[in-house]
Amino acid sequence: MDETETSFGLLATTRYVPRLRLERIDMLAQHRWMAPGLKSLARGRRAVANWDEDSVTMAVEVGRLLQQALPASAAVELTLVSTTLPFAERLNAGIVASALGIDSGATLRDATSSARAALTELSATLRRPEDGAPRMLLAAERRVARPASAQEMIFGDGAAGALVGTGDAIATWVASASTHADLVDHFRQTGEEHEYAWEERWVRDEGYMKIAVATIRQCLKDGGVAAADVARFAMPAPMARINDAVAKKVGIAATALVSAEHENVGDLGSAQPLAMLDIALRAARPGELVLVAAFGSGCDALLLRRTAVPCPGPVPDAGRPETSYMKYLSFTQQIELAWGMRAEMDNKTALTAAWRDHALASRFEGGRCSACGTVQFPRSRLCVNPQCRAQDTQEPTSLADVPARVMSHTTDFLGYTPDPPFQFGHIDFEGGGRVLMEFTDTDVGELSVGLPLRMVYRVKEFDRKRGFRRYFWKATPTRAESAGATTEIK
């Protein structure tokens, strides 16, 4: 396919992994006394979300990456997939859409309850071209596993996404198949924090080797494709070497298996199928067939053909090693630490005020004076430029995607934050605008005057009395990510 040719299909895929990577050997060190069997899982690192990250904020990061590949028209549909949505009764996709600036007329939905839900949604979207308008699919997960469990070692936090529509497609649909089967390999009852997993050998033999194999075969049959013709095969499987066994039984070459990046990230739950699809497509050559499957309450299989269009956007970097298991327990609220009186505050949110300042908080919307061009945050009736002082000339302008630099910074070891020290300071935006901001994902000693920054959407604070959380934008150092990294093939 010529790179300038347009067609309906997959326009972009991407993934986001939090900066912190907890060393599994340090997790084992805390559990070896009672669970020495975890040693077999204690290789590499797993991604850990910062205290101010959840499935909503990570989905926003993925959505922002996908928006770099959006055509001129905005997405008309956004689906957020997660089994760890922060709100049971509030449209979580609505929070994401607001942060991304998606039009209020777009169709939004939350999807949950299954590890394969994202692939189900992607397959369904690819099968209905309709008007060809871009549709965004985001999946994010921050699962909390019981301490000393195998899941604690296996899980990872992160997000992935896909953009479907008409344009310069990186892959086109060939076939798909879906099977429903209420085989319970693991479950988590409503209101419970930790999941319960069933015996692995039974899940492998009755689930993957029968249900997944049959679904994959049906997909290949529908596409008129031989298993040996599949160049890249991606199938999330928390059990060791189960994807090898499935591939062998189906007839897919061992060289086609795509790495799940387990040793540096971990299993991303409902986001894992899209994350592995992103890895596979970046490694695939033009014309190659890519097969991705996802198991959970049945199985979905999706067969795509790679085009000659390059995959847009960067891939996650290696992150920063984290050795403190206690920090992880604190971030996931599995241990209550004595933070002192400074942490004793009532963070009740006035929902009426939150709605009035909706644009300010969700899109980091300030104002630009139409008379003199001065940018200010927050927007007001009066221009702050003393040489102008014009009234009612402020035009809305978002600072969320505007590069900035550190003007001043303070490192406070007395003020409360779930990840001490509290770092904040004034930042200057390119093109104008100066704001006092909180910094996140920042090491002590890393900040300096002039340091390049970008804005990230994060949890501002929790109202634990009422079960609410507020979101706002924070500043973080701009770190180079590899835009052309190669994919490891297992």
Side-chain angles (χ1 to χ4, degrees):
M1 174 179 176
D2 185 82
E3 292 190 16
T4 60
E5 182 181 342
T6 61
S7 61
F8 178 80
L10 203 54
L11 301 180
T13 57
T14 191
R15 60 194 190 277
Y16 167 78
V17 180
R19 184 175 179 236
L20 298 180
R21 312 293 168 85
L22 183 61
E23 300 286 347
R24 290 191 177 97
I25 193 67
D26 292 304
M27 300 167 67
L28 174 65
Q30 306 302 318
H31 305 316
R32 192 190 301 269
W33 65 277
M34 52 80 67
L38 292 176
K39 182 179 180 180
S40 63
L41 300 174
R43 295 187 302 273
R45 306 178 292 177
R46 56 153 292 180
V48 173
N50 206 335
W51 73 268
D52 57 359
E53 293 186 283
D54 60 15
S55 54
V56 161
T57 66
M58 291 188 288
V60 169
E61 284 301 297
V62 169
R64 295 173 77 189
L65 291 171
L66 289 176
Q67 282 183 321
Q68 297 174 15
L70 267 174
S73 58
V76 300
E77 185 174 293
L78 184 149
T79 301
L80 174 59
V81 178
S82 178
T83 64
T84 54
L85 295 170
F87 291 97
E89 278 201 49
R90 182 186 181 188
L91 187 60
N92 297 270
I95 308 172
V96 175
S98 295
L100 296 177
I102 291 178
D103 188 85
S104 59
T107 300
L108 310 179
R109 68 171 66 85
D110 292 338
T112 186
S113 300
S114 170
R116 67 183 175 100
L119 194 60
T120 304
E121 293 289 331
L122 179 58
S123 296
T125 304
L126 284 167
R127 288 198 303 268
R128 50 182 181 91
E130 297 175 352
D131 57 0
R135 287 167 168 79
M136 187 179 292
L137 172 62
L138 309 175
E141 211 74 275
R142 189 187 187 187
R143 296 177 293 176
V144 178
R146 195 178 300 278
S149 65
Q151 288 81 9
E152 187 184 45
M153 289 283 191
I154 293 170
F155 288 172
D157 300 330
L163 185 66
V164 175
T166 298
D168 294 333
I170 60 174
T172 55
W173 179 85
V174 177
S176 58
S178 182
T179 302
H180 163 69
D182 193 27
L183 182 145
V184 184
D185 57 333
H186 69 278
F187 66 90
R188 178 165 54 87
Q189 183 173 275
T190 300
E192 294 293 327
E193 187 172 25
H194 308 297
E195 70 172 41
Y196 187 88
W198 202 243
E199 197 270 322
E200 289 186 353
R201 186 173 61 178
W202 180 79
V203 175
R204 178 195 65 199
D205 295 346
E206 295 297 318
Y208 284 91
M209 300 308 293
K210 292 183 180 179
I211 298 170
V213 165
T215 305
I216 292 170
R217 284 175 172 167
Q218 185 63 50
C219 181
L220 294 173
K221 180 181 178 182
D222 292 347
V225 171
D229 294 333
V230 174
R232 312 287 172 181
F233 175 52
M235 187 182 76
M239 293 179 285
R241 305 195 69 81
I242 189 66
N243 46 8
D244 303 61
V246 169
K248 183 177 180 180
K249 189 166 183 178
V250 172
I252 297 173
T255 54
L257 267 66
V258 176
S259 170
E261 295 195 343
H262 171 78
E263 294 202 356
N264 192 50
V265 176
D267 185 86
L268 303 183
S270 65
Q272 188 72 355
L274 298 188
M276 292 184 69
L277 175 60
D278 181 59
I279 294 170
L281 290 173
R282 291 177 187 277
R285 300 177 182 89
E288 287 188 337
L289 291 168
V290 175
L291 176 64
V292 58
F295 180 82
S297 298
C299 183
D300 274 284
L302 174 63
L303 184 65
L304 300 168
R305 188 177 299 278
R306 183 72 169 90
T307 71
V309 179
C311 291
V315 296
D317 60 20
R320 182 178 73 80
E322 176 59 61
T323 60
S324 176
Y325 179 67
M326 287 291 287
K327 179 187 285 189
Y328 164 74
L329 291 180
S330 179
F331 281 4
T332 53
Q333 301 173 33
Q334 295 185 93
I335 186 171
E336 188 172 346
L337 302 177
W339 290 102
M341 288 185 292
R342 292 177 184 267
E344 296 174 0
M345 60 187 81
D346 189 349
N347 296 321
K348 182 178 181 179
T349 297
L351 298 180
T352 48
W355 173 246
R356 285 195 297 269
D357 294 333
H358 182 68
L360 178 150
S362 63
R363 280 297 295 155
F364 202 5
E365 190 176 279
R368 181 185 297 274
C369 178
S370 60
C372 69
T374 297
V375 177
Q376 63 188 71
F377 182 88
R379 188 169 75 245
S380 65
R381 293 190 63 189
L382 192 67
C383 177
V384 297
N385 183 352
Q387 307 302 318
C388 179
R389 308 301 285 176
Q391 185 172 323
D392 296 330
T393 59
Q394 296 288 303
E395 297 176 344
T397 182
S398 173
L399 299 174
D401 299 314
V402 180
R405 292 184 180 273
V406 175
M407 177 193 171
S408 66
H409 60 93
T410 298
T411 300
D412 185 356
F413 283 90
L414 295 178
Y416 168 70
T417 174
D419 186 21
F422 182 47
Q423 300 196 82
F424 61 95
H426 283 93
I427 68 174
D428 282 334
F429 287 91
E430 289 186 9
R434 178 174 296 170
V435 183
L436 179 64
M437 296 284 292
E438 180 180 346
F439 298 107
T440 188
D441 284 345
T442 307
D443 298 328
V444 175
E446 183 178 6
L447 296 174
S448 61
V449 174
L451 182 72
L453 302 167
R454 68 183 184 94
M455 303 302 108
V456 290
Y457 192 69
R458 295 294 177 92
V459 174
K460 176 65 176 175
E461 60 186 8
F462 294 96
D463 176 4
R464 304 201 188 282
K465 286 186 177 180
R466 301 161 193 87
F468 194 77
R469 61 187 69 187
R470 286 201 300 126
Y471 297 93
F472 192 57
W473 296 84
K474 300 179 183 180
T476 193
T478 302
R479 300 181 178 91
E481 291 184 318
S482 172
T486 57
T487 303
E488 174 191 355
I489 302 297
K490 186 172 179 181

